Amino acid sequence: MNPFRSAALRMTFWYLAIVVAVSTSSSVAIYHFSSNDLRRGVQRQIEFYSQVLSPEESRAYSRLRLAQLETDQQHLRDRLLLFNLLVLAGGGIASYGLARKTMRPLEDALEAQTRFTGDASHELRTPLSVMQTEIEVALRDRNLSVKNARELLKSNLEEVGRLKSLAEGLLALAQQTTDKKYHQSAPASEVISQALQRVQKQASRKKITIKTSSSKINYRGNQQSLADMVVLLLDNAIKYSPGGSAVNIETGSKDRRGFIKITDHGQGIAGEDLPRIFERFYRADPSRSKSKVEGYGLGLAIAKKIVDLHHGSIEVHSSPGKGSTFTVYLPRA
Ligand code: ADP
């Protein structure tokens, strides 16, 4: 059985045991006090009538009232029993619902983690398999020349590079947790200049100019994480744009929220890919674009996680062949 289901059943049992214990003990107390009150009332009536009636009539009256008392007590017991059965049934259903509700976030977290491990292992296997095949083929070749051995090492080194960037991406994803300080004041100008420094080399290699128009606003968040997120978006803007093109960064505020808008004039994103680009390991089909760009489909997943941790939102508008605009909305400090 699913461990969460059996844990939910155990919790139901304990919730129910508490509910039943409370309801039974209060029913016993109610029965005890009510039945004593009834008995005292009947006794007072019998005493009163024994003074006004003949002994014969008084005995008959007393028998009648005691029989009525017995019936009333029986009715009280029946009602309390019915009440307890209803509490048991209602309490059972409510307890199970509550136990499942308590378990659901844990179940979802475990499922997400299992899926993550599965996806990550799948991605790690590809470069490892390539290396294994190349090494096996080379080892079987008795006359392996130095030139071929060097080529093999070069190709292996490329795969190691891919593995390293995949591991870094996975680590970056895992490091985005709620335990950082997300309530600081992060000036837009600082976030952007920190990010620009880190992508400058890559941009100048492709002769891409990055134009910024910053406004004097402060976001509420973690400056370092926000700069990481901007780097990821700029990295894509550079990667998926032709050499010599321009990338624009605009910061400002709209409807009391701050925004960061990054526009490129690159290959754009096809409509069918747009809903999925923020998923982990999702990459648009390379056959739809002319150029093959290295990557693992982790950048936007990390950027989205950072935005979510800041209680912000991210939007993308894109026209294939013309370019893309990513807009991140953030709370203001
Ligand atoms: P990666 O770039 O490593 O593939 P990302 O998660 O950063 O992973 O991006 C996911 C996909 O979204 C990319 O494979 C690419 O197809 C598309 N994409 C992201 N940013 C852009 C962009 N600025 N221009 C065109 N396509 C983009």
Side-chain angles (χ1 to χ4, degrees), residues 232-233 236-237 239-240 264 267-269 277 279 282-284 294-301 324 326:
L232 291 164
L233 297 179
N236 279 347
K239 266 195 327 191
Y240 298 104
D264 66 57
Q267 66 186 51
I269 304 164
I277 52 170
E279 286 174 23
Y282 185 81
R283 304 202 72 211
E294 291 280 325
Y296 277 101
L298 284 175
L300 288 181
S324 315
F326 284 81

Side-chain angles (χ1 to χ4, degrees), residues 22-217:
V22 171
S23 120
T24 327
S25 51
S26 42
S27 298
V28 168
I30 289 170
Y31 179 74
H32 180 73
F33 293 124
S34 308
S35 144
N36 278 352
D37 284 351
L38 284 172
R39 187 173 300 111
R40 270 199 294 277
V42 167
Q43 264 159 5
R44 270 199 299 275
Q45 279 179 339
I46 291 173
E47 274 164 28
F48 172 75
Y49 281 106
S50 67
Q51 287 158 13
V52 290
L53 295 173
S54 68
E56 191 63 23
E57 282 170 334
S58 157
R59 267 198 298 280
Y61 177 75
S62 156
R63 267 200 305 279
L64 180 73
R65 289 301 287 126
L66 287 173
Q68 275 176 347
L69 174 66
E70 183 54 40
T71 316
D72 287 348
Q73 284 177 326
Q74 185 58 46
H75 278 165
L76 185 60
R77 281 198 294 272
D78 289 350
R79 279 193 199 124
L80 286 172
L81 184 69
L82 183 68
F83 169 74
N84 275 283
L85 287 176
L86 287 177
V87 166
L88 186 70
I93 296 169
S95 302
Y96 186 67
L98 196 66
R100 289 292 295 153
K101 206 173 162 195
T102 313
M103 286 288 147
R104 190 138 309 134
L106 295 174
E107 201 171 346
D108 289 349
L110 187 75
E111 200 184 297
Q113 202 164 19
T114 312
R115 215 172 332 120
F116 177 73
T117 316
D119 289 350
S121 324
H122 179 79
E123 295 296 321
L124 284 166
R125 252 176 48 190
T126 315
L128 286 172
S129 305
V130 171
M131 280 169 70
Q132 187 181 21
T133 315
E134 284 176 353
I135 295 169
E136 277 170 0
V137 169
L139 284 177
R140 252 183 263 128
D141 182 357
R142 285 169 191 275
N143 310 313
L144 182 70
S145 65
V146 173
K147 185 173 160 265
N148 287 349
R150 286 186 76 87
E151 256 164 37
L152 168 80
L153 288 174
K154 217 172 113 196
S155 160
N156 277 187
L157 198 61
E158 274 168 23
E159 297 302 333
V160 170
R162 283 197 194 110
L163 280 170
K164 193 170 160 231
S165 69
L166 176 58
E168 279 164 2
L170 290 172
L171 194 64
L173 197 57
Q175 275 169 348
Q176 304 309 327
T177 53
T178 45
D179 47 57
K180 280 189 195 158
K181 292 191 181 106
Y182 293 104
H183 294 283
Q184 291 166 339
S185 175
S189 52
E190 287 296 317
V191 171
I192 302 302
S193 71
Q194 217 175 316
L196 277 176
Q197 271 174 19
R198 286 159 59 189
V199 295
Q200 209 58 64
K201 253 196 206 146
Q202 199 188 337
S204 45
R205 232 179 281 138
K206 275 185 91 171
K207 301 204 168 32
I208 286 181
T209 42
I210 304 179
K211 294 179 197 148
T212 54
S213 64
S214 295
S215 60
K216 270 192 177 171
I217 64 154

